Amino acid sequence: MDFSWAGIRNSIRNFWSKLSSPQKIITVVAPLVVAGVLFFLIAWASTPQYVAIFTKLSDSDAGAIVAKLKDLKADYKLADNGSTIMVPQQSAADLRLELASAGLPQESKFSFDSLDTVHLGETDADRKLRYVLGLQNELENTLKTLNGVQDARVHIVMPDPSLFVDSQKAATAAVTLKLVPGTKLQDDQVRAVANLLAGSVEGLQPENVTIVDTNGNVLSDVLGKNGDSQRLTGTQYQLQQTVEEDTRKSVQSMLDRVFGSGTTVVRISAALDFDQIKRTKQVNGPGAVVSEQSTNESTTNSTGTAPGGVPGTSTNSVPTYVTGSTGGNSTSTKSTETKNYQVDTTQEEQVVSPGAVKRLSVSVMADSDSITQAQLDQIKTIVASAAGVDSTRGDQIQVAAIPFNKTDLEQERLAMDNAQKRQQLVTYAEIGAAVFLGLVFFLIYLRNRAKKARAEKLLGLENSQPVPLTTAELLLAEQEAAEEEARVSLATKNAKTAEDIERQKTKESVELYTRNNPDEVARLMKTWLSEES
């Protein structure tokens, strides 16, 4: 092989001339793509990966940290509108330690850690102030951990205790929340924040906590004494909606089953009784005898005293007078009977739970084009029974026949018909394309089969017997044979031409190499001669 510059160039030129157009494109594009990918990987690997060392910083802390990083000549990036500082990953730990040794970021100097030290000359008021400031800082850090809260500020007012209960003021607190963009706190979350502060500050009630956001919205309106009633009202509204919707679905499904969908519209309005009633009922029975006492008394008087009652006897006594002879003898008898009864008492206590239906209003609108007046009367009766309408409690039912506006329905139906037609056209087009392709393949198959049969006839191979050919078939066979011979001769000529050209190029290359490198040619000739000998 010729390793000279001219030989290498000729080899490259010969190699390039032998390639087709797609091969030439691949030969050029493939190295470029590989080089581009390698360049991207090298650039990506050499680019430092940044990590966040501080997040949710205030503007003052972020400015102080950036100034310190500039003094240290360290690379950094700002994210989240400057509240997050990112540095290269390989130097993140060293920079964090450097900033910590410089006291950055500056946390609040009032914390629970500062209460461990006692300052000289400090009074109870000073210590209480430090406690409140430390409590505020701890609560701020706790609120920042909540989902959706980006930053928080807490202010607590703890009044001095008073000797008089009437003069004692309640503790209050104010919270300012900076929410994550696109986040809104729910009522339960606001109550959770209020309860958190109430559980952390002595004497603080949840209704004395004011919570606002940085947009000026008061979030603590859901708090207060009526918080439970508000939740109860929401529950009552959901129960009312459930009763109305269940009744409407029941009636609507019944009417749709009979008259078809879209011919009737049902609306229900229910008034529920949310008062809890406790009823106590006492029933007295006939009773039974518990004790019985009977007393009998008899008196005889032999003097002439006139008959009369015995003084001091009870009104329940039954005197009996027996008249004797004219001599004045008399006899009296007294009988007393006492019975004590115990009355049977039955006491029933009934508690009526809230949520009973107090009044129900049902409205039914029917399409006058589909429903007659006789059917309206039947609808009123059936719907009243199905919905549980009770006229004694003031329930109402109204049924009316009105022509419906069917414009939207017609448009939807027209759109469905058009979509169905388009789908049919697509189906027909697919079937037509399949049939057309089948016909094309079938015609190709018949053509190939006819050619094969004609060739067999020309060669006399069909049924292994020579077949007599007509004049037209002979002329066609001679023409096809002449065309085939012309194609073969042209291909042979082209092949010879290409071979002569290649031989001429080789000859020219050898002559060029011989003129440029006579010493190499002489040494090569000596080597061939020595091998032949």
Side-chain angles (χ1 to χ4, degrees):
M1 182 176 179
D2 186 8
F3 292 98
S4 64
W5 173 251
I8 295 173
R9 186 174 57 187
N10 292 331
S11 300
I12 294 174
R13 185 183 298 110
N14 294 333
F15 173 76
W16 182 260
S17 62
K18 293 179 181 179
L19 296 178
S20 62
S21 297
Q23 292 176 341
K24 291 179 180 180
I25 294 174
I26 295 174
T27 304
V28 174
V29 173
L32 295 177
V33 172
V34 173
V37 172
L38 291 176
F39 178 78
F40 173 76
L41 293 176
I42 293 172
W44 176 78
S46 60
T47 302
Q49 185 177 1
Y50 285 82
V51 295
I53 56 174
F54 297 110
T55 59
K56 297 182 179 180
L57 294 173
S58 61
D59 295 339
S60 58
D61 291 340
I65 293 174
V66 168
K68 184 63 177 178
L69 291 176
K70 289 181 180 179
D71 294 339
L72 296 175
K73 297 181 179 180
D75 295 334
Y76 67 90
K77 285 184 178 180
L78 297 178
D80 297 335
N81 296 326
S83 61
T84 300
I85 297 180
M86 305 178 68
V87 297
Q89 185 177 8
Q90 59 271 17
S91 60
D94 296 337
L95 291 176
R96 189 180 289 110
L97 293 177
E98 289 286 344
L99 295 173
S101 62
L104 296 174
Q106 295 179 355
E107 297 292 341
S108 176
K109 61 181 179 180
F110 301 105
S111 63
F112 283 156
D113 296 336
S114 63
L115 298 178
D116 296 337
T117 59
V118 179
H119 299 276
L120 183 62
E122 184 180 38
T123 62
D124 292 340
D126 296 336
R127 188 169 181 83
K128 181 180 179 180
L129 178 60
R130 286 201 296 139
Y131 171 79
V132 173
L133 294 175
L135 181 60
Q136 291 179 172
N137 182 69
E138 294 298 330
L139 289 174
E140 290 173 359
N141 294 333
T142 303
L143 293 177
K144 290 178 184 178
T145 61
L146 300 179
N147 292 332
V149 178
Q150 185 174 355
D151 198 1
R153 293 296 303 273
V154 177
H155 300 282
I156 300 174
V157 178
M158 298 181 63
D160 296 331
S162 176
L163 296 176
F164 304 97
V165 178
D166 297 338
S167 302
Q168 181 65 44
K169 296 181 180 180
T172 59
V175 180
T176 303
L177 299 178
K178 182 179 181 181
L179 304 179
V180 176
T183 303
K184 182 180 180 181
L185 294 184
Q186 302 297 328
D187 294 346
D188 294 337
Q189 293 175 309
V190 176
R191 294 189 185 96
V193 173
N195 292 329
L196 174 65
L197 267 72
S200 303
V201 181
E202 182 181 0
L204 180 62
Q205 299 298 325
E207 58 267 18
N208 293 332
V209 178
T210 302
I211 304 174
V212 299
D213 59 9
T214 53
N215 294 326
N217 300 320
V218 181
L219 306 178
S220 56
D221 288 341
V222 298
L223 306 175
K225 297 181 180 179
N226 57 348
D228 296 336
S229 63
Q230 288 181 357
R231 288 196 295 271
L232 181 61
T233 302
T235 305
Q236 293 175 357
Y237 181 74
Q238 292 178 359
L239 180 59
Q240 179 180 353
Q241 292 290 334
T242 302
V243 173
E244 294 176 352
E245 186 63 19
D246 291 344
T247 308
R248 187 196 68 81
K249 287 182 179 179
S250 177
V251 176
Q252 187 70 62
S253 61
M254 179 183 64
L255 295 177
D256 291 344
R257 186 72 177 270
V258 177
F259 299 103
S261 178
T263 56
T264 58
V265 178
V266 179
R267 290 295 180 266
I268 305 294
S269 177
L272 304 184
D273 187 4
F274 294 102
D275 296 334
Q276 187 173 5
I277 302 174
K278 183 178 181 181
R279 297 190 180 99
T280 303
K281 182 180 180 181
Q282 184 172 348
V283 180
N284 296 324
V289 178
V290 178
S291 61
E292 183 177 358
Q293 182 179 0
S294 298
T295 304
N296 295 321
E297 215 177 281
S298 178
T299 304
T300 302
N301 189 2
S302 59
T303 61
T305 308
V310 179
T313 59
S314 174
T315 58
N316 294 329
S317 300
V318 180
T320 303
Y321 301 96
V322 179
T323 304
S325 61
T326 58
N329 293 330
S330 63
T331 301
S332 64
T333 302
K334 181 180 72 171
S335 177
T336 303
E337 183 179 357
T338 303
K339 292 184 179 181
N340 295 326
Y341 291 89
Q342 179 67 39
V343 180
D344 293 339
T345 303
T346 302
Q347 185 173 351
E348 297 180 355
E349 189 172 309
Q350 182 182 9
V351 178
V352 180
S353 300
V357 178
K358 185 166 57 177
R359 187 174 59 257
L360 191 68
S361 299
V362 181
S363 300
V364 180
M365 295 181 63
D367 188 6
S368 59
D369 297 336
S370 305
I371 297 176
T372 62
Q373 184 63 36
Q375 291 175 335
L376 284 180
D377 298 336
Q378 296 177 354
I379 289 174
K380 186 174 182 179
T381 304
I382 295 173
V383 170
S385 177
V389 175
D390 188 0
S391 59
T392 58
R393 66 183 180 188
D395 295 353
Q396 296 179 356
I397 178 170
Q398 297 291 335
V399 179
I402 299 175
F404 282 8
N405 184 5
K406 301 182 178 65
T407 304
D408 296 337
L409 183 61
E410 293 296 334
Q411 291 179 355
E412 293 180 359
R413 186 175 301 171
L414 182 60
M416 293 178 61
D417 294 341
N418 293 334
Q420 186 176 3
K421 291 180 180 179
R422 286 195 297 269
Q423 184 63 32
Q424 290 178 354
L425 291 176
V426 172
T427 304
Y428 293 155
E430 292 177 353
I431 295 174
V435 172
F436 176 74
L437 292 176
L439 290 175
V440 170
F441 286 120
F442 182 70
L443 292 175
I444 293 174
Y445 171 74
L446 292 179
R447 182 180 178 184
N448 293 334
R449 186 175 179 180
K451 286 184 178 180
K452 183 177 180 181
R454 189 164 53 250
E456 289 177 352
K457 288 181 180 180
L458 292 175
L459 297 175
L461 298 178
E462 186 176 8
N463 295 326
S464 300
Q465 294 179 359
V467 179
L469 303 178
T470 62
T471 306
E473 292 177 346
L474 290 174
L475 293 176
L476 180 62
E478 291 177 357
Q479 184 179 359
E480 290 180 353
E483 292 178 355
E484 183 66 22
E485 184 178 359
R487 285 197 297 269
V488 172
S489 61
L490 181 61
T492 305
K493 183 177 180 181
N494 293 335
K496 290 182 178 180
T497 304
E499 185 178 358
D500 294 340
I501 293 173
E502 186 67 23
R503 187 181 297 108
Q504 183 66 25
K505 289 183 178 180
T506 303
K507 181 178 179 181
E508 293 178 355
S509 300
V510 170
E511 291 178 354
L512 181 62
Y513 182 77
T514 303
R515 286 195 301 269
N516 295 333
N517 302 285
D519 298 335
E520 293 291 337
V521 174
R523 186 166 52 253
L524 182 61
M525 294 297 294
K526 291 180 181 179
T527 303
W528 287 350
L529 292 175
S530 62
E531 289 178 357
E532 290 179 357
S533 61

